[in-house]
Amino acid sequence: MTASSDRPAIRLQGVTREFRRQRTSLVTPAPVVHALRGVTLDIARGERFGIVGESGCGKSTLLRIIAGLDQPTAGVVEVEGTDISRLPERRLGFLREQLQLVFQDPMGSLDPRMKVRDIIAEPLVAQGKRDTLPRVLELLEAVGLQAEAADRYPHQFSGGQRQRISIARALAPDPHILVADEPVSALDVSVRAQVLNLIAALVDRLSLTLVFVSHDLSVVRHVCDRVAVMSHGEVVEVGPTDQIYDDPQHPYTRQLVAAAPRLRAALAGRTAADLAADTLAAKETS
Amino acid sequence: MSQDVLRVDGLHVQVGELELLTDVDLTVQRGERVGLIGESGSGKSLTALSIMGLLPEALEPRGSITVTGEGGRHTQVVGAAERDLAAMRGRDVTMVFQEPMTALNPTMRVGDQVAEVMRIHRTVPDRRAAAARAVELLDKVGLPDPAEAARAYPHQLSGGQRQRVVVAIALANDPALLICDEPTTALDVTVQALVLDLVVRGVEARDAGMLFITHDLAVVASVCERVLVMYGGRVVEAGAVHDVFTRPRHRYTRGLIGASDLDLTREDGRLYTIQGSVPSAGRFPAGCVFRNRCTHATTLCEGLPPWDGAGPEDGFACHHPVVVKP
């Protein structure tokens, strides 16, 4: 065994997840969806790790498994050295302290009937902690919200502010790992930059391990050091973000990079026709 | 100008006391691709719905919207009878919406939906010709095996394929103006590239005008020649795409470009931001709509900044514009 300090924060080995669909016929077996096909990854402590892929590639399933919200059909999922893949819910308490989530939709992930102070305190209450208000106020300040926010309800905030509340809640139990699932995809451009800066600042200050899932390679490039590209339930390419972005090796990654419109390239004359042609060219080499 | 397919003059939209759109001027000429960018609540979709005559009943439009279709047929959209609007929609002006699932009828085969728009406007002689033309259009928008696809129901197609069907419907009657409202926002990026290309080619082949609404600056720069920037229900800046994005004059445009450029960072490695958040509809400040988030705002900005430019095609409305070094 390696010393605990070099142990990766998250280790995935051959993680497979199959979903059985409803039977469509009496004589044929139920069709099986292969959401994950043997994903193997190490995410080091303190790393900012991105997972990129299009809808249906399995990135959300992978995230749910890492967070202990779903169990793999096969494979091993270690978080901070403990295999969580077969643990029952009642033994996952340690995971909730170590790893917290921020979701895409800041409206759907906050209970509209709870005050912000109760939303942020909920993970603490679940761990049996009392007198949570000082911690709540500290967290509100850390995410750039006023103390008055504690006594208001989610609908009284804008999308960007709600995402700050989600981040405060995630940080409440003082986790080591922050998992963010498309945290800025639902936000306006002018607010997106603020939230990305906030995440980066908190990850720095609290020395968090960040797992950042997005469909947008350019967002991941800004936030993450290393990235895994997923397609059809498999990790097709892993590497330093700049390398993946500037010199993609796998045909699918090439397609993803070629298809993404970029302001500078567009202003230099890259039209929609060029985007489409490059995307198809990358596809044909696969 | 006679070549204008769309001319919007002083458009206001109000609901009760709340003003949602204020003094919007906009023109689109034949063969021209114009982008309309802005964040949520800026009024870009409301502008599109006003042009289509599809505003919800509670909303009252004022001002003038003129659509000029095939053969110089004018429609004054504001105050028009539903009959005249129905004759205009689907023929002179068509629209591609963001969500391809809700834009299609789930109980009707897609071929019939493409044929329907031609049957309604009698642009084909009979049912058989419409069906044949529908298959031809589905082929043109790149659906594999178009005859088979015409018999499919929307749920049997992927999101990208459904959006191709919507584009086929929008182009079926060779419209003078195509309005696209975030047509690729719900699509994967590799599909987006292909659908954008498809829309641009379809519009170019018909020499139609296009009004393209999006929040994505990179998409608008890939598709359009000219752009209007909306914020708080007003057009705050307009001009050629290259000029507006490389030499913005309005402080909001400048901020928006800075905040969306993920390759550009401050000295501390963080992104440039605009402070605060977009107010909800009707909650924007009087005077300059951007002044409560603007770092250059002064008391002067409590007064409405005048439009600085020759016409609606090029100009800005800011008291403290970005000074361009000569």
Side-chain angles (χ1 to χ4, degrees), chain A residues 81-101:
Chain A
T82 309
D83 183 4
I84 61 161
S85 58
R86 303 284 173 275
L87 286 185
E89 175 63 38
R90 65 188 157 76
R91 308 244 331 255
L92 285 175
F94 85 95
L95 184 66
R96 310 284 182 237
E97 277 174 41
Q98 305 261 358
L99 181 149
Q100 283 286 322
L101 286 156

Side-chain angles (χ1 to χ4, degrees), chain A residues 48 53-56 158 160-161 187-194 196-198 200-202 204 215-216 218-222 245 252 255-256 258-264 266-268 270-277 279-280 283, chain B residues 33 38-41 186-194 196-197 200-201 215-219 221-223 241-243 245-246 252 255-266 269-278 293:
Chain A
R48 298 150 184 238
E54 300 192 316
S55 50
S158 68
Q161 290 169 326
L187 302 181
D188 280 316
V189 178
S190 73
V191 178
R192 177 181 74 175
Q194 294 172 5
L196 287 175
N197 282 352
L198 174 67
L202 290 168
D204 275 354
H215 68 283
D216 189 336
S218 56
V219 170
V220 166
R221 186 195 195 190
H222 173 72
Y245 200 78
Y252 176 73
Q255 211 179 313
L256 214 54
R262 281 192 292 271
L263 186 56
R264 280 160 202 224
L267 292 176
R270 194 159 181 250
T271 62
D274 299 329
L275 285 178
T279 309
L280 287 175
K283 197 172 197 167
Chain B
R33 299 192 298 273
E39 302 178 273
S40 55
L187 304 179
D188 279 328
V189 63
T190 50
V191 181
Q192 162 173 283
L194 304 179
L196 289 178
D197 178 42
V200 171
R201 277 190 290 122
H215 67 280
D216 190 326
L217 307 194
V219 167
S222 309
V223 169
V241 164
H242 195 271
D243 295 345
F245 287 170
T246 53
Y252 172 66
L256 190 65
I257 294 166
S260 58
D261 191 343
L262 299 174
D263 296 333
L264 187 73
T265 52
R266 303 185 309 222
R270 304 288 188 240
L271 299 168
Y272 288 93
T273 58
I274 300 177
Q275 59 184 353
S277 50
V278 185
R293 300 179 70 193

